[in-house]
Amino acid sequence: MTSVRPRLVVANWKMNKTPREAGAFLDEFLALAPSLPEEVDVAIAPAFVALERVGRYLLPTRFRLAAQDVFTESKGAFTGEVSAGMLKDLAVSLTLVGHSERRRDRGEADSDLARKLKRLVEAGISPLYCVGETLDERDAGDTERVLARQMTVLDRFGGSPPPGLCLAYEPVWAIGTGRAASPRMASDAHAFLRSDLSNRYGGGAAESIRILYGGSVTPELAPELFAEEQIDGALVGGASLKVRELGEIVKAAGS
Ligand code: PGA
């Protein structure tokens, strides 16, 4: 079933690929590009140090440059951090906020995430806000409660969504484990998130916001995930490191 929203596939490379390796990937990937469905939006999120190199490759193409994170403040004495303005200067148009690896490993709290969203909005960068439950939370029947709590980060934006907002539903237990959520499970979570969006912004606005699924997406699983009307694309980690696999997932998103 084709989604009413244009599908979006985001490659989250995490801490993989040096700038040189990223260049080699893009030489191959861009050669494949004419065979990919034009109606599917594609974004690549390399490590900060490879953004400039990847951006140079993507500039003449229809593909978008994405970042994996942004700092909570806009400038100043914050050694090692990267601001939204710096990302904008590199033509980044989409940035992840709240990936579970950062919530878990870097102790990112909802208040930090709200500030990151604010910085992105100020810079004119679309946020890709990531939510998802742990296995314990799912087993305890708490999935919707957890998602609802994570969505409260949007409270401080009032009645209209941050411009360009996309969501990614990424159950923590499915990330990098080879154990993806079933299409039904993902679809139910997406429907819950869409009703949350609808309560906030009204049905029309909620219908236009893309909700991606992430967690062990592979070319083999992609067709059944994309058969779900509620799944508007994918946030892909491991499989996005291989040109062929990323290409297959993009193709599946178009069919
Ligand atoms: P994975 O990662 O595809 O390797 O499970 C997804 C993500 O963390 O965004």
Side-chain angles (χ1 to χ4, degrees):
M1 199 182 307
T2 305
S3 168
V4 290
R5 295 157 288 272
R7 288 247 167 81
L8 168 65
V9 173
V10 180
N12 175 15
W13 283 353
K14 309 191 179 183
M15 199 175 72
N16 295 291
K17 296 198 191 293
T18 64
R20 192 180 310 214
E21 289 164 348
F25 178 99
L26 286 162
D27 279 332
E28 240 189 284
F29 186 72
L30 294 181
L32 195 80
S35 70
L36 301 179
E38 277 186 18
E39 69 276 19
V40 179
D41 293 334
V42 178
I44 310 265
F48 284 141
V49 292
L51 277 172
E52 184 163 20
R53 178 87 57 103
V54 172
R56 261 192 259 135
Y57 273 87
L58 297 187
L59 192 63
T61 76
R62 65 185 185 83
F63 302 127
R64 297 171 69 179
L65 182 63
Q68 298 174 18
D69 187 37
V70 64
F71 193 51
T72 51
E73 306 300 324
S74 47
K75 70 190 297 189
F78 302 104
T79 302
E81 302 295 354
V82 172
S83 73
M86 292 169 181
L87 298 178
K88 184 71 180 175
D89 197 54
L90 289 175
V92 166
S93 70
L94 179 78
T95 295
L96 276 66
V97 172
H99 190 282
S100 65
E101 285 155 12
R102 297 198 61 86
R103 290 184 195 256
R104 181 192 65 205
D105 303 337
R106 318 294 292 193
E108 289 191 349
D110 287 352
S111 54
D112 299 318
L113 305 181
R115 282 154 75 200
K116 290 183 178 203
L117 289 175
K118 184 113 199 307
R119 297 291 93 78
L120 292 175
V121 170
E122 286 164 359
I125 296 174
S126 301
L128 174 51
Y129 180 54
C130 306
V131 297
E133 80 288 358
T134 64
L135 192 54
D136 283 351
E137 289 163 342
R138 174 162 284 271
D139 288 345
D142 277 347
T143 299
E144 293 190 352
R145 206 168 50 81
V146 170
L147 296 179
R149 195 201 63 228
Q150 292 171 334
M151 290 295 281
T152 62
V153 164
L154 296 172
D155 286 355
R156 57 200 81 185
F157 293 90
S160 46
L165 176 71
C166 304
L167 299 182
Y169 169 61
E170 295 207 305
V172 179
W173 47 271
I175 295 177
T177 58
R179 186 186 158 196
S182 69
R184 174 106 295 255
M185 236 182 228
S187 186
D188 287 349
H190 284 222
F192 176 79
L193 291 170
R194 189 149 333 265
S195 72
D196 181 293
L197 290 171
S198 178
N199 292 338
R200 289 170 185 281
Y201 308 128
E207 281 302 314
S208 70
I209 294 173
R210 291 184 280 198
I211 307 179
L212 316 187
Y213 167 78
S216 295
V217 176
T218 60
E220 293 71 34
L221 290 177
E224 46 180 292
L225 288 166
F226 292 135
E228 297 291 332
E229 199 208 333
Q230 285 293 334
I231 298 182
D232 303 319
L235 178 54
V236 189
S240 75
L241 298 170
K242 302 202 181 92
V243 170
R244 188 196 64 80
E245 297 196 14
L246 181 60
E248 292 301 317
I249 291 168
V250 174
K251 281 184 193 160
S255 53

